[in-house]
Amino acid sequence: MLQTIFKKQYQVESLVIKYLEAIEMAQENFALALETCLMDDKACGDFSFLSDETHRFESQADDVREEIKTLMYDKVLLPESRGDIMRLLDGIDYVPRYMEIVLNILKTQMLVIPDFLIPDIRELVAASLEACALMRWQVEDLFKRKGRIKELLAVIDLKESQCDKIERRLISAIFESDLDGFQKLQLKELVIFLGDISDQVDTISKQINIMSLKRRV
């Protein structure tokens, strides 16, 4: 019986890694799609393709999440552990969702990012993706118990603060510019959703820390 439980727990961990890999692919395609937009024109074929790929990997992650849910509720983990892991996956799911929203804003609103905002947008995206990579390490640490969760928590917190500063700088630059009022509101919305990525990673990081502390009790 114990051997069966351990085997299923290992399957859950393997599926969580598979889930994170799909999320990572969604993030990579998001970054490429946004960069395509910044370099050239969102109307080009590459942007649509990469935007669709972002959605495809986000959907793939959803499928893996359902697999995990089915496996966990097949008496593989204690009820409190199941609840913690599902809340964790639900939280992570917001990260690619915010990325999809950003790409949809660019696509459906035909939004053009002015040149003077591009360096800060690139910096915000880079810092947000670094936070996402740290989050993945933290989730893996939770299962493999490498003891780096608090250390990663501190780094993610710093990364989130960095993103907040860039976000505020961008919004100030938007409203100090000569852009028309409607375009200012469109760009503000875009920047806020970009900022939500690191905010969500920070929330997940704190959640992982609590899960780790509960395991020590």
Side-chain angles (χ1 to χ4, degrees):
M1 177 66 180
L2 277 177
Q3 193 176 12
T4 302
I5 292 174
F6 287 138
K7 184 181 175 185
K8 288 192 174 181
Q9 285 181 332
Y10 176 75
Q11 288 176 320
V12 170
E13 292 176 19
S14 298
L15 282 172
V16 169
I17 298 301
K18 187 177 173 184
Y19 171 80
L20 292 172
E21 287 170 351
I23 296 283
E24 194 171 72
M25 289 302 295
Q27 292 165 2
E28 284 180 15
N29 280 280
F30 161 76
L32 289 171
L34 195 56
E35 184 58 30
T36 299
C37 182
L38 295 176
M39 286 178 64
D40 187 16
D41 183 342
K42 61 183 173 297
C44 75
D46 284 350
F47 177 82
S48 294
F49 172 75
L50 293 165
S51 179
D52 290 344
E53 285 293 280
T54 305
H55 175 71
R56 184 168 73 84
F57 283 109
E58 195 274 337
S59 297
Q60 194 178 94
D62 279 346
D63 293 340
V64 179
R65 192 170 57 138
E66 284 305 306
E67 273 188 74
I68 296 169
K69 188 176 177 181
T70 302
L71 186 60
M72 283 197 305
Y73 282 85
D74 188 22
K75 300 179 181 176
V76 61
L77 291 175
L78 295 172
E80 56 270 27
S81 299
R82 293 193 303 234
D84 280 344
I85 291 175
M86 283 315 300
R87 279 189 290 276
L88 174 65
L89 298 181
D90 287 344
I92 293 174
D93 201 45
Y94 277 96
V95 173
R97 208 175 294 172
Y98 288 134
M99 293 176 177
E100 276 197 277
I101 291 172
V102 168
L103 296 180
N104 283 335
I105 288 173
L106 289 166
K107 192 173 184 177
T108 60
Q109 299 183 21
M110 306 294 285
L111 184 59
V112 175
I113 298 175
D115 288 346
F116 70 91
L117 294 177
I118 289 178
D120 278 342
I121 293 279
R122 282 194 173 122
E123 190 180 347
L124 179 55
V125 171
S128 300
L129 293 180
E130 285 168 16
C132 290
L134 292 165
M135 176 190 71
R136 174 172 175 166
W137 295 351
Q138 212 182 21
V139 175
E140 290 178 356
D141 197 291
L142 181 68
F143 287 101
K144 298 184 186 304
R145 299 171 190 256
K146 293 181 180 175
R148 302 173 304 172
I149 285 179
K150 285 190 76 172
E151 177 190 339
L152 290 166
L153 173 77
V155 182
I156 288 172
D157 187 53
L158 286 174
K159 198 58 69 181
E160 191 266 340
S161 297
Q162 180 190 351
C163 289
D164 278 351
K165 287 178 187 170
I166 303 168
E167 185 181 343
R168 286 195 294 272
R169 197 163 70 218
L170 276 163
I171 290 176
S172 294
I174 290 166
F175 283 93
E176 287 166 1
S177 72
D178 296 327
L179 297 170
D180 71 64
F182 183 67
Q183 194 177 3
K184 285 178 180 177
L185 292 176
Q186 283 181 303
L187 288 165
K188 178 188 171 188
E189 183 187 35
L190 184 83
V191 169
I192 287 174
F193 277 117
L194 278 172
D196 283 343
I197 296 169
S198 62
D199 288 342
Q200 184 63 19
V201 169
D202 189 52
T203 299
I204 294 162
S205 172
K206 290 180 172 67
Q207 188 180 347
I208 291 171
N209 188 48
I210 295 295
M211 288 172 69
S212 173
L213 292 173
K214 282 168 70 176
R215 286 184 173 186
R216 295 181 194 173
V217 176

